[in-house]
Amino acid sequence: MMLGRAMDYQELDDLFNELWPIPRSITGPGITQSLKILQRHIPFEIKAVASGTKVFDWVVPPEWQLNSATLYTADGEKILSTEDSNIHILNFSEPYSATISYEELEPHLYTNKTFPETVPYVTSYYQRRWGFCLSEAQKARLDKTKKYRVEIDTKIYPGNLRYGDLTLKGKSEKTVLLTSYLCHPSLANNELSGPLALVALYKELSKQKNRYYTYRFLVVPETIGSITFLANTEKSELDKICAGIVLTCLGGPAKKVTFKHSRRHWVGEPSEIDELVESLCMHDSECFEQRPFEPTSGSDERQFCSPTINLPVIQAARTPYGQYDEYHSSLDNKSFMRISAVLDSISKLCMFIRVFELNRANLLPMLAGGEPMLGKRGLYPTINSAQTKRMSSDKIVDGREQLNILLNVISLIDGKRTVKEIVEFLEISYDDILSTLEPLLEQNLVRV
């Protein structure tokens, strides 16, 4: 089902191209620049927390700035440079300038022997190191008898960790958290697909009338950003979060959106969003699948779901981290992550969020006494004959299936059932019930 598309292919493609070349990290001008670009689309407040601030068991790190980094032979031949790719530098590398032997250089070269033609993305945020990332094939071509000149122009200095935060008010203070991370440089599926989806979801939800839930949009550097947000947000505000979704890896080649459950589901504590995921993946299995919560891997859901926080926050992905060979490498680019796949993920997530909105309470009929007159609303054939069953305007082959779903749904809207309960009773898909409910809601025949 395609809900209203707030951003088209070209808009997302342009945003991707603008964000792609920026040398991001968990702090520094790269993430600040990226947040300001996103701020044009989501008018969030960019919050700053000073380096050295204690955030739970962690400390906010200093800022890191990459100016340039190049490896040469001693006679001036360029081997690699961040001018070619900004993942050639060990992320958060300290500055270094010297002419050294291969033996001195080799411990500072990072490769992935499993995939020798790719440049790996490697970080060292909390331990001072310098280094370069290159393919195993590039490394094998280095002459071990030569000397090499290292020029790493980076800056590490006290500053701030920054993140974007916006609350989109609804009728209720109950809040759905929608969040993604922004800290990886020049990685597509693992980095930019999440923020692209977040921007599109904001534009979709901001134009919707009569939002029941409040939506909080959050863009953070991964792990330390979510920890900093949690440490600097009042408990009364966190207590309003009734559900949340971490958006990541939404542009890969897989066909389905996969939901990773929250910790509550893992430990047997009921959560509305986890229960809806189970039902959705059963009744719309062609579009969605589920994964269990695992504390041994993952993204920011691990922080939102940590035992003393324990928010019902799930994760949405398409081709998740660790499940594709291009992960954290130079091959995670736009050839791997397709804008069309991100758009498809956005459409599926819009459907899920819309169902979550409608599933908050039982459905009630607005009219008393008999069925509503569907024909005058364009929802029922206006000619009654033996051929009527083939005159329904829906696209189903038998010409009647969608109409039958409509009549069944109307018969179950009695103030005693939620959307989820109707789907499970009729054994239909959520796509079908949304197609049925939307015109009924628009014409004030049903209310939640």
Side-chain angles (χ1 to χ4, degrees), residues 9-235:
Y9 183 101
Q10 193 59 55
E11 289 173 304
L12 284 178
D13 191 60
D14 290 344
L15 181 55
F16 177 97
N17 292 337
E18 191 173 7
L19 290 167
W20 173 260
I22 298 172
R24 280 176 294 275
S25 188
I26 54 175
T27 58
I31 189 169
T32 302
Q33 180 186 357
S34 300
L35 285 169
K36 288 181 178 179
I37 291 170
L38 291 180
Q39 194 180 39
R40 301 200 310 259
H41 302 273
I42 306 176
F44 47 54
E45 177 185 357
I46 297 178
K47 296 183 176 179
V49 180
S51 301
T53 303
K54 187 172 176 58
V55 286
F56 298 143
D57 195 42
W58 298 59
V59 175
V60 174
E63 294 202 40
W64 180 77
Q65 178 177 330
L66 169 66
N67 296 317
S68 64
T70 308
L71 176 64
Y72 303 91
T73 62
D75 55 9
E77 178 189 355
K78 186 176 76 171
I79 305 299
L80 56 84
S81 173
T82 51
E83 292 179 358
D84 303 319
S85 170
N86 57 38
I87 66 170
H88 272 312
I89 186 69
L90 173 69
N91 199 278
F92 234 85
S93 172
E94 61 185 358
Y96 189 77
S97 178
T99 299
I100 58 178
S101 67
Y102 178 85
E103 287 72 20
E104 294 170 298
L105 172 66
E106 200 275 335
H108 301 277
L109 300 179
Y110 298 90
T111 66
N112 184 341
K113 293 182 179 180
T114 304
F115 303 103
E117 297 298 328
T118 69
V119 178
Y121 166 67
V122 185
T123 68
S124 184
Y125 299 137
Y126 304 105
Q127 181 68 43
R128 292 288 171 264
R129 294 182 175 90
W130 66 266
F132 292 102
C133 302
L134 67 166
S135 70
E136 184 67 20
Q138 283 177 299
K139 182 180 176 182
R141 290 193 293 268
L142 296 178
D143 187 338
K144 295 180 181 181
T145 66
K146 286 187 175 182
K147 287 187 176 291
Y148 293 88
R149 181 158 58 92
V150 175
E151 296 293 344
I152 298 177
D153 182 7
T154 58
K155 185 179 179 183
I156 300 174
Y157 55 95
N160 294 281
L161 179 147
R162 295 176 177 84
Y163 61 91
D165 189 7
L166 171 78
T167 297
L168 186 63
K169 290 288 188 181
K171 292 180 179 179
S172 170
E173 288 192 344
K174 289 183 178 181
T175 300
V176 177
L177 177 69
L178 297 174
T179 179
S180 188
Y181 53 81
L182 188 66
C183 52
H184 302 67
S186 297
L187 298 178
N189 184 52
N190 184 234
E191 166 73 355
L192 292 181
S193 66
L196 292 180
L198 191 72
V199 166
L201 290 177
Y202 168 77
K203 294 197 173 185
E204 183 70 40
L205 287 164
S206 63
K207 72 179 185 179
Q208 286 186 7
K209 299 176 182 178
N210 301 315
R211 288 184 305 272
Y212 175 75
Y213 291 110
T214 290
Y215 291 87
R216 191 159 188 173
F217 293 82
L218 182 69
V219 183
V220 293
E222 195 172 16
T223 303
I224 187 62
S226 54
I227 289 170
T228 301
F229 165 78
L230 290 166
N232 285 273
T233 302
E234 294 291 335
K235 185 178 184 301

Side-chain angles (χ1 to χ4, degrees), residues 194-402:
L196 292 180
L198 191 72
V199 166
L201 290 177
Y202 168 77
K203 294 197 173 185
E204 183 70 40
L205 287 164
S206 63
K207 72 179 185 179
Q208 286 186 7
K209 299 176 182 178
N210 301 315
R211 288 184 305 272
Y212 175 75
Y213 291 110
T214 290
Y215 291 87
R216 191 159 188 173
F217 293 82
L218 182 69
V219 183
V220 293
E222 195 172 16
T223 303
I224 187 62
S226 54
I227 289 170
T228 301
F229 165 78
L230 290 166
N232 285 273
T233 302
E234 294 291 335
K235 185 178 184 301
S236 59
E237 288 297 303
L238 295 179
D239 287 343
K240 294 176 183 177
I241 296 175
C242 64
I245 310 174
V246 174
L247 305 170
T248 180
C249 298
L250 287 164
K255 301 301 182 185
K256 300 179 183 181
V257 167
T258 171
F259 290 113
K260 176 184 175 182
H261 281 286
S262 76
R263 176 184 176 274
R264 291 192 184 185
H265 184 269
W266 186 54
V267 298
E269 298 173 0
S271 154
E272 182 181 352
I273 195 167
D274 285 298
E275 291 175 353
L276 185 59
V277 163
E278 285 194 331
S279 183
L280 182 81
C281 292
M282 178 181 296
H283 293 277
D284 292 69
S285 59
E286 292 184 1
C287 296
F288 302 96
E289 60 186 7
Q290 57 189 319
R291 293 179 289 141
F293 177 83
E294 294 175 327
T296 54
S297 65
S299 185
D300 287 324
E301 73 280 353
R302 290 168 56 187
Q303 310 312 320
F304 297 119
C305 294
S306 57
T308 56
I309 305 295
N310 202 30
L311 294 172
V313 174
I314 65 172
Q315 180 210 91
R318 186 184 186 97
T319 303
Y321 46 81
Q323 295 187 19
Y324 60 102
D325 294 342
E326 296 83 354
Y327 173 67
H328 271 198
S329 84
S330 54
L331 292 182
D332 187 354
N333 52 36
K334 202 195 286 188
S335 296
F336 177 79
M337 187 219 83
R338 300 300 178 90
I339 297 295
S340 57
V342 177
L343 281 167
D344 182 70
S345 296
I346 291 164
S347 179
K348 290 179 168 67
L349 288 167
C350 282
M351 184 187 106
F352 177 72
I353 292 168
R354 182 59 174 155
V355 171
F356 189 80
E357 271 270 332
L358 296 176
N359 194 56
R360 66 184 183 268
N362 295 341
L363 296 173
L364 291 161
M366 292 290 284
L367 303 178
E371 292 181 356
M373 188 175 181
L374 300 176
K376 69 179 183 181
R377 296 176 170 91
L379 300 175
Y380 198 89
T382 54
I383 296 177
N384 185 9
S385 75
Q387 300 303 311
T388 297
K389 66 175 289 183
R390 299 193 179 276
M391 295 181 68
S392 177
S393 62
D394 65 72
K395 64 183 180 181
I396 308 301
V397 173
D398 71 0
R400 179 79 193 204
E401 186 172 327
Q402 195 66 36

Side-chain angles (χ1 to χ4, degrees), residues 405-421:
I405 291 172
L406 173 62
L407 295 172
N408 279 318
V409 168
I410 288 174
S411 187
L412 291 172
I413 296 175
D414 55 6
K416 298 177 182 179
R417 295 173 177 84
T418 64
V419 170
K420 176 174 173 287
E421 288 167 337

